Amino acid sequence: MASSSPSCHAPKPSPRSALRSTVTPLASGADLEETVRLVEKSGRRVIASQVDVRDRVGLQKALDDAVAELGGLHVIVANAAICPLGNDVPVQGFIDAFDVDFIGVVNTVHVGLPHLGECGSVIITGSVAGLVPQAGGVNGQGGLQGPGGDGYGLAKKMVRDYTRSLALSVGPSKIRVNAIHPTNVDADMLPNPAMYKTFRPDLADPTRTDAEVTFPFMQAMPIPYVEPADISHAVVYLASDESRYVTGQQLFVDAGASLKLGI
């Protein structure tokens, strides 16, 4: 997010590096266009680029150009992620999930850090499910399924440690670094057959209706999931001056799921 308006990057990969194992829809050009429309509707400027987060060179150029145009950078939000679940996903699923969910986060943060000054904020999206030990399970149903689930889980666990370490390193520069860990979110990553199977392994071909029976079991509060806006509110708080002394924190927006899962 630059000084006068944000620079948006859709995590859609280029053809040369397509995510072969992904079973959920990726962010699209239409999504990016809608973001641009919403920003401009608010009266702010926006520079939009479609960049693969695994491509640090591409990210660096897009961000440097945006900062040069808008005049500065104050907030970094590393949010791109995939979760190719399923025991039928090949080992490429591990590679894709880890490369996007951890290396992509590191790339996003590291190309932006040189532009941040005092009061800068780095915000990284983690995951409650990703923090559950793979030998344990989500809601007693077993770990996230397949190589993609393993890669996703490893990446999110490393995000937790990365956030803490980076916060200590940049603290003397008065730059804040925090992670947000959501529970189930009613967004594109949740409604898909592989996710339904994770929650209902007892059924051969579970539907969303089948899975929603067990969604609330993961949280301490009796809800099936949180809304995307619940996460956005946390991001806005961590980006604002109201959180000026909040750093190195793992903020769970999860209706008590982390408590219930013991993480």
Side-chain angles (χ1 to χ4, degrees), residues 28-80:
S28 67
D31 294 323
L32 189 57
E33 290 171 5
E34 175 66 4
T35 301
V36 170
R37 186 189 69 79
L38 291 171
V39 172
E40 291 178 340
K41 184 179 178 180
S42 73
R44 308 303 292 271
R45 291 189 299 159
V46 58
I47 296 175
S49 301
Q50 189 166 300
V51 188
D52 188 329
V53 294
R54 298 169 296 175
D55 177 8
R56 187 180 292 197
V57 174
L59 279 177
Q60 187 78 66
K61 183 180 187 309
L63 182 61
D64 288 350
D65 289 348
V67 170
E69 176 69 21
L70 297 176
L73 182 72
H74 302 117
V75 179
I76 299 169
V77 180
N79 184 57

Side-chain angles (χ1 to χ4, degrees), residues 84-91 93-94 134 143-152 198:
L85 294 178
N87 292 320
D88 57 336
V89 172
V91 70
F94 184 99
Q134 279 303 101
L144 296 174
Q145 297 175 2
D150 290 338
Y152 178 88
T198 297

Side-chain angles (χ1 to χ4, degrees), residues 94-109:
F94 184 99
I95 297 169
D96 289 343
F98 184 80
D99 285 357
V100 171
D101 299 350
F102 185 71
I103 296 176
V105 164
V106 170
N107 287 342
T108 301
V109 174

Side-chain angles (χ1 to χ4, degrees), residues 53-186:
V53 294
R54 298 169 296 175
D55 177 8
R56 187 180 292 197
V57 174
L59 279 177
Q60 187 78 66
K61 183 180 187 309
L63 182 61
D64 288 350
D65 289 348
V67 170
E69 176 69 21
L70 297 176
L73 182 72
H74 302 117
V75 179
I76 299 169
V77 180
N79 184 57
I82 61 170
C83 188
L85 294 178
N87 292 320
D88 57 336
V89 172
V91 70
Q92 184 66 38
F94 184 99
I95 297 169
D96 289 343
F98 184 80
D99 285 357
V100 171
D101 299 350
F102 185 71
I103 296 176
V105 164
V106 170
N107 287 342
T108 301
V109 174
H110 288 188
V111 300
L113 273 179
H115 295 290
L116 291 183
E118 285 193 9
C119 302
S121 178
V122 177
I123 305 161
I124 300 171
T125 303
S127 165
V128 168
L131 296 181
V132 176
Q134 279 303 101
V138 176
N139 196 28
Q141 302 290 350
L144 296 174
Q145 297 175 2
D150 290 338
Y152 178 88
L154 176 61
K156 296 303 184 179
K157 293 174 182 65
M158 292 179 69
V159 159
R160 176 180 53 190
D161 293 338
Y162 171 78
T163 302
R164 291 169 173 166
S165 183
L166 184 61
L168 281 172
S169 295
V170 300
S173 299
K174 295 187 178 179
I175 296 172
R176 313 187 306 280
V177 185
N178 296 283
I180 297 172
H181 297 281
T183 185
N184 300 330
V185 180
D186 192 21

